[in-house]
């Protein structure tokens, strides 16, 4: 341990890292228990991803009646969403509304980033040191850092030489950015890139879209919410939530038990067309085997490719926009408003970086195929070091100084996606070995925080000071994740799901692919069985004692 005698140490019961929706709820939940709880947040406000991602067109791709807290009916009744899929600004306003409603701001330290999180074997407590030099001493540490919070940046030669405006989508400025009439280049066509292109195509004098890997994008069909519909939702919110918590995604979109080949060709084509015309995300749930049966997946992929061909007038451009070689929905599906339509505009040019990669960025623009494309603005929607990036950016050390980076050097492993062997009283929410990005993030965070809260109650009642997973429990959980993934087509794609967007990162599919409902059941079964797979200790227990218990 470092010598902290010269620094003031702030002692708390619970230290929460992150003030997105997971961290906000954790702060509220543990304060309600009477525990001295503080949250630290790198940004200057709450909201997590919605604080940082302010790029043009930023919008949630989960329906906002689902993408909101369920723990407080008072909040559900007081807050009214304006659209089916709300924009970043409205979601951030919601986060601030909740923070003010629950008086969270007084216990959040903004502009504060965790640098070292280290377990003290002598005191059985966590020492959290921030980049700003603050030190916290906590019995429990909850990491609500989010799966998409560390951007990759622009790893293209010459990026620093560009004399125009260069913006990273995930770190968009908090001031107005004037784009009208400018020559703009957008690098990347994942979810963020698709949303950006759909908007800036109507602002740019000319837009070059630098596409590395094409994405399947579905029509969002966004709309204003009718007051009568809103009143209906609010009246039945609690019943709706009870159902959605047990679905695969944690949302109210269709979820069928009907395999694709159980209906006739005419019936399935009609169903696909109806889903496309009403809301593209419905395609995810109209058949039960889209992520299990490659032949069924191919049918839906061909349907979407046909729609792209019908929309984009130039056949060569349309073909470049069609993903091939990977299952549809194995890469995160995008929702858009007239994304493919903008490629019919004279001021939009698609650059296929699979056949003609970006060679370098120059002071004046971008070199592709030996030719310079002059630009005034470059927008990099280049993705994230997802799932593990935020956790591994912190120097986390458990018992006897064991490093989480070393433990996870060949891939993330934990128990239930919430506890880690060798790291007592350290919890993660909506993290890598749970449903994570496959589920409604807010409901998943609520489930995780509630489960951790119940575990802390159990510890208090039994007189325990520490808790951690056993190595055997971790092994069983990782086998469970692998078994679920082996049944799914999702691991078949090279995406941030599998870590292949980061050079040198171990390739794996570390998320729980069984859905939010099954995951919730698995977690509840652990609790019902006396928290099997966890070991408890007291302050008098030594590291050797804990090791003996783990291997018993």
């Amino acid at each position: 341990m470092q010598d902290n005698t010269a620094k003031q140490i702030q002692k708390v019961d619970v230290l929460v890292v992150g003030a997105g929706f997971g961290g906000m709820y954790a702060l509220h939940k543990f304060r309600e228990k009477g525990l001295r709880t503080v949250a630290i947040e790198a940004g200057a406000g709450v909201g997590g991803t919605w604080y940082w991602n302010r790029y043009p067109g930023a919008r949630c791709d989960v329906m906002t009646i689902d993408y909101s807290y369920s723990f407080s009916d008072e909040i559900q009744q007081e807050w009214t969403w304006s659209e089916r899929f709300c924009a970043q600004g409205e979601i951030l306003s919601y986060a601030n509304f909740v923070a003010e409603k629950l008086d969270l701001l007084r216990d959040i330290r903004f502009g504060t980033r965790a640098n070292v999180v280290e377990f003290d074997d002598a005191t059985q407590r966590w020492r959290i040191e921030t980049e700003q030099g603050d030190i916290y001493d906590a019995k429990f540490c909850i990491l609500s850092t989010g799966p998409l919070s560390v951007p990759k940046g622009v790893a293209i030669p010459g990026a620093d030489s560009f004399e125009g405006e260069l913006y990273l989508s995930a770190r968009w400025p908090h001031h107005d950015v004037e784009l009208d009439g400018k020559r703009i280049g957008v690098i990347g066509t994942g979810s963020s890139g698709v949303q950006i292109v759909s908007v800036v195509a109507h602002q740019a004098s000319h837009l070059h879209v630098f596409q590395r890997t094409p994405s399947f994008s579905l029509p969002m069909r966004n709309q204003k919410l009718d007051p009568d519909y809103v009143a209906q939702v609010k009246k039945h919110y609690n019943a709706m939530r009870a159902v959605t918590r047990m679905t695969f995604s944690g949302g109210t979109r269709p979820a069928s038990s009907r395999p694709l080949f159980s209906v006739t060709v005419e019936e399935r084509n009609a169903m696909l067309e109806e889903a496309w015309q009403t809301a593209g995300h419905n395609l995810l749930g109209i058949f039960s085997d889209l992520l299990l049966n490659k032949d069924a997946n191919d049918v839906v992929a061909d349907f979407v490719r046909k729609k792209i061909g019908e929309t984009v007038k130039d056949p060569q451009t349309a073909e470049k926009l069609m993903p091939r070689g990977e299952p549809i929905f194995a890469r995160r599906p995008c929702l858009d408003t007239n994304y493919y339509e903008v490629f019919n505009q004279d001021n939009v040019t698609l650059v296929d970086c699979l056949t003609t990669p970006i060679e370098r960025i120059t002071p004046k623009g971008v070199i592709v195929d030996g030719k310079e494309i002059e630009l005034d603005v470059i927008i990099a929607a280049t993705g994230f070091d997802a799932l593990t990036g935020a956790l591994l950016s912190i120097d986390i050390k458990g018992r006897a100084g064991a490093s989480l980076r070393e433990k996870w050097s060949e891939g993330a492993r934990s128990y239930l996606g919430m506890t880690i062997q060798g790291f007592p009283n350290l919890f993660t929410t909506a993290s890598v070995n749970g449903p994570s990005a496959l589920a409604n993030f807010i409901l998943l965070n609520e489930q995780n925080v509630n489960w951790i809260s119940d575990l802390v109650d159990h510890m208090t009642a039994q007189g325990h000071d520490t808790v951690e997973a056993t190595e055997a429990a971790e092994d069983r959980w990782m086998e469970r994740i692998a078994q679920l993934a082996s049944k799914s087509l999702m691991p078949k794609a090279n995406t941030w799901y599998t870590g292949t967007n980061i050079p040198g990162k171990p390739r794996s599919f570390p998320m729980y692919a069984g859905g939010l409902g099954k995951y919730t059941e698995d977690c509840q079964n652990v609790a019902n069985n006396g928290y099997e797979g966890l070991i408890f200790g007291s302050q008098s227990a030594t590291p050797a004692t804990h090791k003996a218990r783990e291997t018993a």
Side-chain angles (χ1 to χ4, degrees):
M1 299 295 292
Q2 297 180 15
D3 180 9
N4 301 314
T5 55
K7 299 179 181 179
Q8 183 177 359
I9 300 175
Q10 303 173 60
K11 197 167 185 176
V12 297
D13 297 315
V14 183
L15 193 285
V16 179
V17 180
F21 285 117
M24 288 170 62
Y25 182 54
L27 173 59
H28 168 69
K29 186 73 174 179
F30 286 96
R31 276 196 339 192
E32 270 199 326
K33 302 170 82 67
L35 298 177
R36 170 63 176 144
T37 307
V38 169
I40 59 174
E41 164 58 44
V46 298
T49 189
W50 303 107
Y51 171 84
W52 296 106
N53 289 264
R54 299 164 179 254
Y55 58 80
R59 188 177 293 275
C60 189
D61 57 7
V62 177
M63 288 193 293
T64 42
I65 62 166
D66 295 326
Y67 192 79
S68 49
Y69 286 122
S70 69
F71 70 89
S72 168
D73 193 52
E74 185 176 351
I75 289 174
Q76 289 185 149
Q77 298 304 319
E78 288 188 16
W79 181 265
T80 299
W81 295 105
S82 68
E83 295 179 288
R84 190 183 203 178
F85 299 93
C86 282
Q88 173 268 337
E90 187 167 349
I91 299 170
L92 186 59
S93 294
Y94 171 73
N96 280 288
F97 164 79
V98 173
E100 292 174 10
K101 178 81 176 174
L102 301 177
D103 192 24
L104 299 180
L105 301 180
R106 62 182 167 87
D107 288 320
I108 303 176
R109 309 294 179 255
F110 293 110
T112 304
R113 185 182 296 276
N115 188 33
V116 176
V117 174
E118 186 173 8
F119 188 72
D120 187 327
D121 290 307
T123 64
Q124 302 283 285
R125 293 175 66 88
W126 286 94
R127 183 186 67 84
I128 299 92
E129 184 171 348
T130 73
E131 289 183 356
Q132 293 68 30
D134 302 312
I135 297 176
Y136 294 88
D137 178 295
K139 181 175 182 178
F140 300 101
C141 183
I142 299 177
L143 301 173
S144 295
T145 51
L148 294 171
S149 51
V150 176
K152 282 178 59 180
V154 189
I156 301 172
D160 292 340
S161 72
F162 184 59
E163 295 174 352
E165 304 166 65
L166 193 155
Y167 301 109
L168 196 62
S169 63
R171 291 295 181 265
W172 196 260
H174 288 213
H175 58 76
D176 291 337
V177 175
E178 181 56 58
L179 298 175
D180 289 349
K182 294 183 178 178
R183 299 167 299 176
I184 302 174
V186 175
I187 301 174
T189 53
S191 295
S192 298
V194 165
Q195 291 183 336
I196 292 166
V197 166
S198 301
V199 172
V200 302
H202 304 290
Q203 299 174 289
S205 61
H206 200 96
L207 170 65
H208 283 82
V209 180
F210 297 93
Q211 174 187 269
R212 297 170 300 170
T213 305
S215 296
F216 282 107
S217 192
L218 312 173
M220 180 173 279
R221 312 293 188 202
N222 197 22
Q223 57 187 269
K224 294 290 183 182
L225 295 181
D226 178 78
D228 290 340
Y229 169 74
V230 171
Q232 172 183 294
V233 168
K234 288 188 175 185
K235 181 179 179 181
H236 298 284
Y237 234 143
N238 291 333
M240 287 169 51
R241 300 291 200 177
V243 173
T244 56
R245 286 189 192 96
M246 300 313 297
T247 65
F248 183 93
S249 66
T252 52
R253 70 185 184 211
S256 175
S257 60
R258 172 177 43 204
L260 183 142
F261 293 109
S262 68
V263 298
T264 66
V265 172
E266 292 76 13
E267 287 173 323
R268 78 183 184 218
N269 286 341
M271 292 164 66
L272 289 166
E273 183 65 32
E274 181 183 12
W276 183 268
Q277 296 300 331
T278 53
H281 73 297
N282 287 349
L283 281 171
L284 290 163
I286 58 173
F287 300 112
S288 61
D289 55 349
L290 295 188
L291 290 171
L292 303 173
N293 183 332
K294 183 181 181 301
D295 291 338
N297 189 279
D298 287 344
V299 168
V300 178
D302 286 342
F303 172 83
V304 177
R305 282 191 281 262
K306 181 172 180 288
K307 287 295 184 182
I308 297 171
E310 291 172 352
T311 303
V312 180
K313 295 176 182 177
D314 178 60
Q316 290 184 329
T317 301
E319 178 59 34
K320 291 175 182 177
L321 288 165
M322 295 179 190
R324 296 189 184 277
E326 295 178 341
I328 188 171
F329 309 141
R331 184 178 298 275
R332 182 175 176 85
C334 307
L335 293 186
D336 72 83
T337 299
N338 298 325
Y339 171 67
Y340 294 113
E341 285 81 351
V342 305
F343 291 97
N344 295 325
Q345 297 176 196
D346 293 336
N347 71 325
V348 177
T349 300
L350 178 67
V351 180
D352 182 5
C353 295
L354 288 178
T355 57
T356 54
I358 295 175
E359 297 171 20
R360 66 184 185 276
I361 294 175
T362 71
K364 299 299 181 184
V366 172
I367 299 287
V368 175
D369 200 21
K371 299 177 181 178
E372 184 174 49
I373 300 170
E374 294 192 356
L375 300 169
D376 302 308
V377 179
I378 295 175
I379 301 174
T382 46
F384 298 85
D385 184 354
L387 301 174
T388 60
L391 292 171
L392 296 183
S393 71
I394 306 169
D395 186 10
I396 302 174
K397 298 176 182 177
R399 290 194 184 279
S403 166
L404 184 65
R405 290 171 183 164
E406 292 179 9
K407 181 180 174 72
W408 284 7
S409 61
E410 297 182 4
R413 52 180 291 115
S414 67
Y415 184 42
L416 306 178
M418 288 186 277
T419 69
I420 305 169
Q421 180 267 330
F423 295 78
N425 291 8
L426 182 78
F427 303 104
T428 58
T429 68
S431 191
V432 53
N433 298 144
S436 193
L438 305 179
N440 179 339
F441 197 64
I442 296 184
L443 289 191
L444 173 58
N445 268 299
E446 285 187 345
Q447 188 275 337
N448 280 180
V449 171
N450 289 339
W451 191 90
I452 296 165
S453 174
D454 290 344
L455 174 59
V456 170
D457 286 344
H458 174 80
M459 292 174 66
T460 301
Q462 299 298 318
H464 301 308
D465 291 302
T466 62
V467 63
E468 63 187 281
T470 68
E471 186 174 4
E474 273 191 351
D475 289 342
R476 288 195 303 272
W477 185 249
M478 298 315 296
E479 288 170 5
R480 170 79 164 143
I481 287 177
Q483 181 253 344
L484 290 168
S486 69
K487 297 179 179 179
S488 173
L489 297 175
M490 283 187 284
K492 305 296 184 184
N494 292 321
T495 71
W496 59 262
Y497 284 179
T498 55
T500 49
N501 66 324
I502 302 294
K505 193 170 185 176
R507 191 190 197 285
S508 67
F509 190 84
M511 291 185 287
Y512 181 100
L516 179 61
K518 284 186 178 180
Y519 172 75
T520 299
E521 289 180 3
D522 282 353
C523 293
Q524 191 57 49
N525 287 338
V526 168
N528 292 343
N529 291 327
Y531 293 100
E532 62 181 355
L534 298 176
I535 52 172
F536 299 91
S538 65
Q539 277 194 310
S540 60
T542 66
T545 302
H546 283 276
K547 186 65 178 177
R549 287 174 179 166
E550 290 170 30
T551 56

